Amino acid sequence: MSTPFPFTAVVGQEDLRLALLLNAVSPAVGGVLVRGEKGTAKSTAVRALSALLPEVAVVPGCRFSCDPAAPDPSCPDGPHEPGNGGTRPSRMVELPVGASEDRLVGALDIERALAEGVKAFEPGLLADAHRGILYVDEVNLLHDHLVDLLLDAAAMGASYVEREGVSVRHASKFLLVGTMNPEEGELRPQLLDRFGLTVEVAASREPDQRVEVVRRRLAYDDDPAGFATRWADEEAAVRQRIVAARELLPSVRLGDGALRQIAATCAAFEVDGMRADIVMARTATALAAWAGRTEVLAEDVRQAALLALPHRRRRNPFDAPGLDEDKLDETLEEFSGSGDSGDSGNDDEPDPDGPGGGGGQPPSSDGPEADGGSGAQPEAGDGGEPQASGAGSGEQAAARASEPFRTKVLSVPGLGDGVAGRRSRARTEHGRTTGARRPRGALTKLHLAATVQAAAPHQRARGRSGPGLVVRRDDLRQATREGREGNLVLFVVDASGSMAARQRMSAVKGAVLSLLLDAYQRRDKVGLVTFRGSAAEVALPPTSSVDAAAVRLETLPTGGRTPLAAGLLRAHEVLRVERLRDPARRALVVVVTDGRATGGPEPVALAGRAARLFAAEGVASVVVDCESGPVRLGLAGQLAGELGGAAVTLDELRADSIAGLVKDVQRRAA
């Protein structure tokens, strides 16, 4: 087994380390979601935490890690008699992004259940993680149904596996930690809310701290065991502090004053539901225990708000997580004198952590990073996108998008095999049952009627003498199901001078923003190709991050000629490359243009030939006609005909005006 990087040797990232330690003190806090750019020690810190957790007492031979002092009465390996047991180190279990449902929750042997009437159960990762850490790297890329199962188990403390009336339940209480890079897509707000705390991390911009990061990493890579030995004392001190905080936690008093501050803060920031209040209360209590106190202070409430509220204020994919700290301080100050006087701003009681209070910092590690330059936050507006290439004369500043509106679904015709989503029809593991087939590999979804029908003719030959059905492997039938898939929605946006009127471009951007919101809700990947001047560019390669597409759209300038053919050819190349990377995901091309083509010899003919490439390959497409004014040339409609798709005006794109569009897309593609 490899030696993990010591937790106390992680440079900076105080918020990340604090959030992990608070969950180690009180798992009831509800886990941690770590958001940040790549290469910021997210995974390193999580993997290092497991070495700090105390050993776990377990029933010998129990695959579900039952506590010998209070064994689970429903344990599949039970019943267990209370008594002495053994111990083992606390586990950290990693859930791969591509894991199956059976790998997560466990698998029932349906063949033995039908033929022998026994519950043969193979535990999954939820059983392995019981009383330990369950770590999901890139949790935003995990399939939605797996995330739902994961968070349900975390909320209920138990996992349920049901297959055709045969069910197994076992305890599953764990510290849930997820990491993600927001550039690769966001979690739904409903799922964000299920994580107790969230932390934004970024690499330090201070040279001294970056030097120390490199120095420690190189020293660890050269001699992992020796490096860990040098940090053994610091690790032992933190381990003892976690044990002491756990023992103190039941004695911590959360007074009425602190509760009123928590309630007022959640109300002031308009978070939905009551989960935020509960998480803040548990976090503030854990902060006090971590600081060695039995009283919750106002500083604990403030720190709890900074960890528990930012992600709960995010209501759509274009809202940036965050908290107005000035508003937070004003709210806490307004309610500082409410209720008990002893639990808010009490300066008489000594604070073990010194100034700053609230136990709000983990132990600092020695070295240049100890001055607290951890976790530099990304600056607002940082990373502005470069201007589009090939700008022609008369370039105008970027227009702001108009208010988005609700659109109805644009779906790809036919039946696909892509990843689960909510846009187009597809063969999936979840959905309505449409038929049966012989299983390929392990049986996951039994079609009971088809299985009985296959076994029935052979009962006499198999010597059946009782009421039970004699079932063999060849009789089993896998249910085939139809659900919905996510698609690649590729936007091809005309940013030329003919689209440059600010009011017009604002409406165009509002329409694209509305379609991006729809793509977010339907679990699509999105891409953005723009064309103007003399060339086209891929403003955003296909990604699951629709908010990244919104940022590119917001900064999109206009001006110059209209190289429509170049835009279509660049989009065709993007689709070709994406088919190699993700062949099961079908595409929907949305061309946003007035249909004009200028620049170069025979621009209209070139655009027509480029459009016919999509039609020849059967790519579903929609042209959003942006032409305005009393005289219309109908060029966008002609382009839609060349593409083999449908044309719709900006006004028709709204939900109450788009009812016939999907049928038109399907009819043209048939």
Side-chain angles (χ1 to χ4, degrees), residues 494-500 531-533 557-563 594:
D494 184 349
S496 65
S498 65
M499 304 280 287
F531 57 94
R532 68 188 184 97
T558 56
R561 296 182 180 273
T562 312
D594 57 9

Side-chain angles (χ1 to χ4, degrees), residues 635-651:
L635 298 176
Q638 296 176 23
L639 176 63
E642 299 279 8
L643 287 166
V648 57
T649 66
L650 287 173
D651 291 336

Side-chain angles (χ1 to χ4, degrees), residues 11-13 16 35-42 200-207 209-211 213-214 373-379 382:
V11 177
Q13 307 295 16
L16 169 58
R35 298 162 44 91
E37 60 196 31
K38 53 187 176 293
T40 50
K42 299 189 298 292
E200 295 278 344
V201 297
S204 172
R205 302 299 185 255
E206 295 184 6
Q209 194 171 67
R210 296 175 74 96
V211 166
V213 170
V214 175
S374 71
Q377 297 298 317
E379 297 180 7
D382 188 28

Side-chain angles (χ1 to χ4, degrees), residues 220 228 588:
Y220 170 78
L588 174 65

